[in-house]
Amino acid sequence: MRSVSLWIVAITMLSACSASAGVGQVPAGPSGEVSAPSTAAPSGGFQVEEVYGDLQHGWDIGFLPDGKVLVSERIGRFTLLSSGKPGATGTRLKADTGDILVRGEGGLLGMVIHPDFRVTRQFTTCQTHTENGKAADVRLVTWQLSDDEKVATRVKELLTGLPVNPSGRHSGCRPTLAPDGALLVGNGDTASAPRISQDRKRLGGKVLRIYLSNGQPAAGNPFPGSPVYTYGHRNLQGVAIRPNSDQVFTAEHGPDKNDEVNLLKAGANYGWDPSRGGANTTTYDESVPMTDLQRFPDAVPAKWQSGDTTEAICAAAFLSGPQWGTLDGALVITALKGAKLLILTLDQPGNVTSVAIPPEFNDKYGRLRAARTAPDGALYLTTSNGNDDKLLRVTPA
């Protein structure tokens, strides 16, 4: 167990801040607006515990009703942990994952435990898929855990046809359950065909909204008969529902600058278009803005951008519960390249009012991938360094 004296440093000039952001300011968004953060450091501290090691690129975390924890690993492996506390033991599940494309950013990715798991023992994953040894698509697959907790068996292909890059690049893919029971799935645009993000008939570079039971488009979607909920995204790997609200926030990789945190609006365009309005039909032009308001005046500006460089932000989760004190309701974002944790404080409409870094995460655990909040309010994270990766449990000191 590692106990840390916790003060949180307000980010003023993170390496990723835009040049326009001055001391004590949040980096400017696409609209040029800059918000001044609170300068007060939260009281108390964090307790960071290493629950389990011996993972390899742990991609997502699922909490089972009996207290066990399931981790999906990008290499095409499931590890079931005996608990979410330090000293947990791990079981490698037997599972047919031989058709998963484990390459680059592709592999066994996001995961969601079904709300009726006690009865069905089912969970659903995102995974890059091969057929006859060739990249085919990104798909959602529903699995069932055996009663003896040693085997995961495929139940069905829930949704297929999400585009894939043979290199695995920009595969996404993060599923999260909304309070209304719909499954929200953020994914990537494959970094290949330049028009995918803006083409509402293709499923890449989107947030999808479907039924967990059958993969069909959920009722009330903005485009009738389509699973598409929002479009114009680049490579979205974090989806989080704000507690006690219907606000959905996403975390998205920028190219060489401007990672984004977005607040979703049904049917909205988020402005990524490497085709330059269709002028480039074959060239994936990454020099375009993350949110191109010139080509798409109605595109939704980000609530936060990283500025002149990228942190390669990934997962998103909300801290929830009075035990978190002043951080109750804050949005947590993991960073891969930046090797840190970002904590965003939000006002009621969803604007970012401050950004902070817990100093003990600042490159001390390396690349951080998954972030999920457990039923007891604890925050769980995975590292993604490729060797002896860990599951971390974070609570207030």
Side-chain angles (χ1 to χ4, degrees), residues 102-320:
V102 181
R103 186 176 301 156
E105 299 167 22
L108 181 60
L109 307 173
M111 176 177 62
V112 63
I113 306 298
H114 289 208
D116 59 356
F117 181 88
R118 287 186 186 275
V119 176
T120 65
R121 304 186 65 78
Q122 291 182 359
F123 58 96
T124 291
T125 60
C126 283
Q127 52 199 71
T128 45
H129 177 70
T130 62
E131 291 182 358
N132 301 317
K134 295 182 179 180
D137 61 6
V138 178
R139 56 183 51 187
L140 295 169
V141 177
T142 297
W143 302 78
Q144 184 175 55
L145 180 64
S146 63
D147 290 338
D148 63 6
E149 299 183 333
K150 294 181 179 179
V151 179
T153 303
R154 294 190 189 210
V155 175
K156 60 186 173 185
E157 313 296 318
L158 184 67
L159 181 67
T160 63
L162 282 68
V164 69
N165 189 322
S167 72
R169 194 170 180 220
H170 290 195
S171 297
C173 167
R174 185 80 61 178
T176 295
L177 275 171
D180 64 1
L183 185 66
L184 297 170
V185 184
N187 62 53
D189 70 348
T190 76
S192 55
R195 301 183 69 176
I196 285 179
S197 287
Q198 291 296 322
D199 184 350
R200 297 203 303 264
K201 294 181 180 179
R202 303 192 67 179
L203 301 185
K206 310 293 190 297
V207 175
L208 309 177
R209 182 172 176 267
I210 62 174
Y211 288 119
L212 184 59
S213 59
N214 58 18
Q216 293 299 304
N221 276 4
F223 309 110
S226 170
V228 173
Y229 188 69
T230 60
Y231 64 103
H233 300 285
R234 183 176 180 271
N235 191 27
L236 198 156
Q237 294 191 357
V239 180
I241 315 295
R242 191 175 190 179
N244 304 313
S245 82
D246 59 359
Q247 292 180 345
V248 182
F249 287 81
T250 60
E252 184 171 348
H253 288 205
D256 57 352
K257 59 183 178 181
N258 285 337
D259 294 333
E260 288 188 347
V261 171
N262 286 300
L263 174 59
L264 297 190
K265 178 183 177 182
N269 182 1
Y270 285 78
W272 175 248
D273 182 24
S275 78
R276 290 187 171 271
N280 296 333
T281 58
T282 58
T283 303
Y284 186 81
D285 184 353
E286 295 198 75
S287 69
V288 298
M290 271 292 280
T291 305
D292 194 336
L293 293 172
Q294 183 174 354
R295 287 190 175 85
F296 308 106
D298 294 334
V300 179
K303 291 298 183 181
W304 177 84
Q305 288 188 321
S306 62
D308 289 340
T309 61
T310 60
E311 298 288 340
I313 61 175
C314 188
F318 277 94
L319 303 179
S320 183

Side-chain angles (χ1 to χ4, degrees), residues 101 291 329 381:
L101 174 71
T291 305
L381 309 170

